[in-house]
Amino acid sequence: MRKNKTKWMVKVAMLSAVAVVLMLLEFPLPFIAPPFYELDFSEIPVLVGVFALGPVAGVVIEAIKVLLNLLINGTITGGVGEAANFLVGVSFILPAGIIYKRNKTKKTAAFGMTVGGTLMVIISCFVNSYILIPVYGAAMGLETSAFVKMAAAIYPSIDSLWKMVLLCVAPFNAIKVILVSVLTTVLYKHISPILKAKA
C-alpha cells in the first residue's frame, strides 16, 4: 500500500515538473489576442496524468504546476490570477478525467476533452471578464478600457470588454484546447505504459 502511494507521488511529481517547464515556454498569438495572452502546453502532462492516474492526480498536478510557477515567477495579483488560472485549468482536465474514468476508450477520452475544453472556454470568458482583467488592471494601474484598446488593434470592431472576451479570449482558449487535446492524444499511447507500469 505504502509502495503504491510512493509510486503515485513520484509519477505526479514527474508530470508536475514537466508541466512547470512547459508553462515557462509560453508564446503569444498576436493575430488572435493581445500579446499578454500567451499560449503554453502545460496542460498536456496534466491530461496525461488525469487519464493514466485518475482525476485526483490531475487536480494535484494542476495545483503543483500553478504553485511552482508562482514560486518561480512571483505574482503581481496576490495569488488571485494564479487561483483563477487553476480554476480554468481544472475546468478542462477534471471533466475529461471523470468521463474517461467511467469508460476508458479513445472515444470517451475525446468526448471528455471536448466537454472539458468547451467548459474551459466558457469559464475562461467569465474569469477574464470578472477576475483576471480587473485584477491585472488594478495591479498595473490600468483601466479596463486599456485592455479593450489593445484588442481593438487586432479587431477594430471591439469596443467593450465582452466583445474582447468573445472575439479574443474565447478563440484563443479554443485554439489551446484543440492543440493540447491533439498532442495529448498522440503522446498518451507512448507515455501511458510507463505511468501504468507496476514495477
Side-chain angles (χ1 to χ4, degrees), residues 1 32 37 49 66 85 88 99 125 169 177 193:
M1 188 74 174
I32 296 291
Y37 285 103
V66 172
N85 284 329
V88 171
I99 291 171
C125 289
V169 176
V177 164

Side-chain angles (χ1 to χ4, degrees), residues 2 20 36 73 75 77-78 100 123 125 153-154 168 177 184 196:
R2 185 176 297 176
V20 171
F36 56 86
N73 290 324
T75 179
T77 64
Y100 180 72
I123 289 180
C125 289
I154 303 171
C168 293
V177 164
T184 300
K196 293 179 179 179

